[in-house]
Amino acid sequence: MAARSSGLEEELTCPVCYEIYRDPVVLKCSHSFCKVCLQQFWGEKGSQECPVCRRRCSMDPPLTNLALKNACEAFLQGRAQRSAAASEGHCRLHNEKLKLFCLDDQTPVCLVCRDSKWHENHKLRPIQEVIPEYKEDLKSALKPLREKLEALSEVQQTWNKTAEHMKTQARHTERLIKGEFEKLHQFLKDEEAARISALREEEEQKSHMMMEKIEKITNEISSLTETIRALEQELGAEDVSFLLKYKDIQRRAQCPVQDPEEVSGALINVAKHLGNLSYRVWEKMLEKKEIKYTPVILDPNTENVCFTLSDDLTAATWSNEIQEYPNNSERFIWPSVLGSEGFSSGKHCWDVDVGDGVTWRLGVVTESINRKGLSPLMPEGGVWSIELHNGKYRAMTSPPVPLSVRRKPQRIRVQLDWDRGELSFSDPSNNTSLCTFKHIFTERLFPVFCAWGDWLNLKICPVDVSITVAAVNP
């Protein structure tokens, strides 16, 4: 019966949408389709042809297949009645109460179904016997699903926190960027004002000098003009009168007139004010410590929830308040924070101001270090470091080796030569070596800073930046 029903349903299924026909129409090739499905197919195809046999159809609208429409409506009504009957605990074929369960077909059946050929030689049991067993099976199946749901919910919460933290990070970072640029803008404004002031001062001094020289030469011109006018008048005098005054006239005509002096350096020294302007400003920024360079920058995405980093990401402080950081994959579960840049070649050096701290650990870790578990903080765990704990300095080998330190260092210098496989620690104040690890490194290494308790206050020291102008060889 089920097979016959399935075959009938197949006959009543539209070949386009694979659903029971809705408002079916028939073409001259005898193929039927839902009216909407046929119109949509023709619209997409751009031509009127049968979706099954591809025969061209006439321009006349297809006729409604009334018999097929009635059959589809009757089938849908019967299926609804059978579903309603089954939902009330009755067989949809015989309308008898469902009392048995067919283990072969995994479906409830009635007493009439038991004797039919469809369940001949099948294993049947009373429904009340199989229900407890099947419910237990379902409970067992539900357990891993609930565990999976719980795990997914935890991940969802983590991701929600991550999304919120991303927004907080972005806003905080934007404020810091604006603050840093405001400082730079102010320095540039002050430098611009100073340089314009120097230009105007030079202009004023040289203008004043030129005005004095112009006034002096103007007076000389006026005096010489008056002398020439007087001599020209004497030239028009009577002969006897001219001769009587000739000696005086000759003396006046021979009065010394100095040539105007050459004026050098009178123009504005434009080259001094404009030459390599941006370079000179940069040089002054370095001189006044407006530009700082720190060889290692801390990565806030790796810091433990007990840490607080400075705004410039160069100092780490222990916090008594647990920070609301998302549990992202990069973050450490143990009290540590990494440098933001890893090294897989070359030489690298950084100084750490440990001050009067009484508990800290410094060194490098591999990129693949287990950040969520309590990995051994030894070379075999991917960590090369030294520490100060309980007043004792130790190289963190397996087992740890005590270090001989005569004077408590305020700074620790860490030097990594990745290619040679050397990691050394020293006191830069007196260049005293503390410890050297030798190992063939194969992974990218990251600077690590660890501490616990209220004694953490580590700061990575900036280095002096110098400018060197190299000559260009021809």
Side-chain angles (χ1 to χ4, degrees):
M1 185 68 182
R4 289 199 300 271
S5 176
S6 176
L8 176 61
E9 184 173 355
E10 184 178 349
E11 293 295 328
L12 301 179
T13 298
C14 172
V16 175
C17 66
Y18 298 104
E19 299 287 345
I20 300 300
Y21 286 108
R22 292 168 296 173
D23 195 11
V25 293
V26 61
L27 301 178
K28 290 185 177 180
C29 59
S30 300
H31 291 122
S32 297
F33 308 94
C34 298
K35 183 177 181 181
V36 174
C37 294
L38 183 63
Q39 291 175 347
Q40 185 176 0
F41 178 82
W42 284 355
E44 294 175 355
K45 192 70 176 177
S47 61
Q48 291 188 354
E49 60 182 41
C50 176
V52 175
C53 64
R54 303 299 180 183
R55 287 182 57 183
R56 297 284 297 180
C57 303
S58 65
M59 298 300 295
D60 298 331
L63 299 176
T64 299
N65 192 334
L66 187 57
L68 183 58
K69 180 179 180 182
N70 293 335
C72 291
E73 291 177 353
F75 177 81
L76 292 174
Q77 185 177 3
R79 186 165 66 177
Q81 290 175 351
R82 290 191 298 270
S83 298
S87 63
E88 295 174 359
H90 290 75
C91 177
R92 64 180 184 179
L93 300 177
H94 308 108
N95 202 23
E96 294 287 335
K97 191 172 181 62
L98 298 170
K99 295 182 178 182
L100 302 174
F101 187 79
C102 179
L103 298 179
D104 296 279
D105 292 337
Q106 291 289 296
T107 182
V109 296
C110 66
L111 295 177
V112 178
C113 291
R114 178 192 61 183
D115 300 328
S116 68
K117 68 177 182 178
W118 304 108
H119 294 281
E120 187 176 359
N121 297 324
H122 284 188
K123 294 181 180 179
L124 301 171
R125 285 187 184 178
I127 286 180
Q128 297 304 320
E129 287 185 9
V130 298
I131 284 179
E133 179 183 346
Y134 277 43
K135 284 188 175 181
E136 284 300 320
D137 290 343
L138 182 58
K139 288 179 181 179
S140 299
L142 280 175
K143 184 178 179 180
L145 294 178
R146 288 195 178 100
E147 292 175 352
K148 189 68 174 179
L149 176 61
E150 184 178 353
L152 293 176
S153 298
E154 290 179 358
V155 172
Q156 182 187 40
Q157 292 178 6
T158 299
W159 287 358
N160 288 336
K161 289 182 180 179
T162 300
E164 289 299 319
H165 189 67
M166 286 169 54
K167 295 179 181 179
T168 302
Q169 277 186 310
R171 290 192 294 267
H172 180 65
T173 305
E174 182 178 347
R175 286 195 298 269
L176 294 179
I177 290 174
K178 288 182 177 179
E180 287 298 313
F181 272 96
E182 284 177 5
K183 293 178 184 178
L184 295 175
H185 292 161
Q186 189 60 49
F187 177 86
L188 293 176
K189 287 180 181 178
D190 294 343
E191 186 65 17
E192 176 188 9
R195 290 182 176 273
I196 290 177
S197 176
L199 171 63
R200 290 176 178 172
E201 183 178 353
E202 181 182 356
E203 178 192 14
E204 184 178 352
Q205 290 176 352
K206 292 188 174 181
S207 295
H208 180 70
M209 177 193 70
M210 287 305 301
M211 291 305 297
E212 289 181 344
K213 291 184 177 295
I214 290 172
E215 182 179 0
K216 181 179 178 181
I217 199 171
T218 299
N219 292 335
E220 290 178 353
I221 291 173
S222 178
S223 175
L224 186 58
T225 301
E226 183 63 26
T227 299
I228 293 173
R229 186 186 63 77
L231 292 175
E232 288 176 345
Q233 286 182 352
E234 294 296 341
L235 287 174
E238 295 293 334
D239 294 342
V240 176
S241 177
F242 174 77
L243 291 175
L244 290 173
K245 297 180 180 180
Y246 178 71
K247 288 185 178 181
D248 181 57
I249 294 173
Q250 188 180 31
R251 179 180 56 78
R252 293 171 61 187
Q254 292 178 353
C255 67
V257 179
Q258 295 181 351
D259 292 332
E261 62 179 311
E262 291 289 337
V263 180
S264 62
L267 297 179
I268 299 296
N269 191 349
V270 177
K272 181 185 75 172
H273 296 288
L274 285 181
N276 292 320
L277 180 59
S278 58
Y279 175 82
R280 298 302 178 192
V281 173
W282 179 40
E283 194 175 39
K284 191 169 182 179
M285 293 176 76
L286 291 177
E287 177 186 343
K288 292 193 173 184
K289 306 297 182 182
E290 294 293 334
I291 295 180
K292 297 179 181 179
Y293 176 76
T294 306
V296 172
I297 298 298
L298 301 177
D299 184 357
N301 295 335
T302 66
E303 65 177 310
N304 180 264
V305 294
C306 295
F307 281 6
T308 299
L309 303 186
S310 60
D311 287 342
D312 62 358
L313 304 178
T314 62
T317 304
W318 182 273
S319 175
N320 290 323
E321 296 183 5
I322 301 299
Q323 307 300 312
E324 291 294 331
Y325 298 146
N327 187 25
N328 51 299
S329 59
E330 299 87 354
R331 197 171 306 282
F332 278 98
I333 193 173
W334 31 289
S336 301
V337 62
L338 293 187
S340 60
E341 182 181 358
F343 309 120
S344 57
S345 64
K347 297 180 180 180
H348 310 275
C349 178
W350 58 95
D351 290 356
V352 183
D353 188 346
V354 296
D356 295 324
V358 297
T359 305
W360 49 258
R361 183 180 289 125
L362 304 173
V364 297
V365 301
T366 57
E367 186 172 19
S368 63
I369 187 77
N370 182 7
R371 307 186 186 195
K372 301 304 181 183
L374 296 178
S375 299
L377 303 181
M378 311 292 181
E380 58 266 28
V383 183
W384 293 265
S385 64
I386 65 172
E387 74 166 20
L388 170 61
H389 184 55
N390 292 331
K392 297 179 181 180
Y393 294 86
R394 300 190 301 175
M396 300 307 293
T397 57
S398 183
V401 175
L403 299 178
S404 177
V405 178
R406 295 181 179 179
R407 188 183 65 178
K408 183 177 182 179
Q410 298 293 302
R411 288 188 179 186
I412 300 294
R413 175 163 295 169
V414 185
Q415 291 178 289
L416 170 66
D417 189 334
W418 196 96
D419 298 320
R420 293 185 60 184
E422 289 186 0
L423 176 70
S424 62
F425 300 85
S426 60
D427 181 352
S429 64
N430 52 19
N431 202 27
T432 301
S433 177
L434 300 176
C435 173
T436 298
F437 289 93
K438 292 188 177 181
H439 183 81
I440 299 176
F441 301 120
T442 57
E443 282 192 60
R444 184 184 297 272
L445 301 177
F446 286 82
V448 65
F449 308 84
C450 311
W452 48 95
D454 298 334
W455 309 288
L456 169 65
N457 190 9
L458 303 177
K459 181 174 177 59
I460 304 164
C461 305
V463 297
D464 294 332
V465 180
S466 60
I467 302 175
T468 302
V469 180
V472 178
N473 295 325

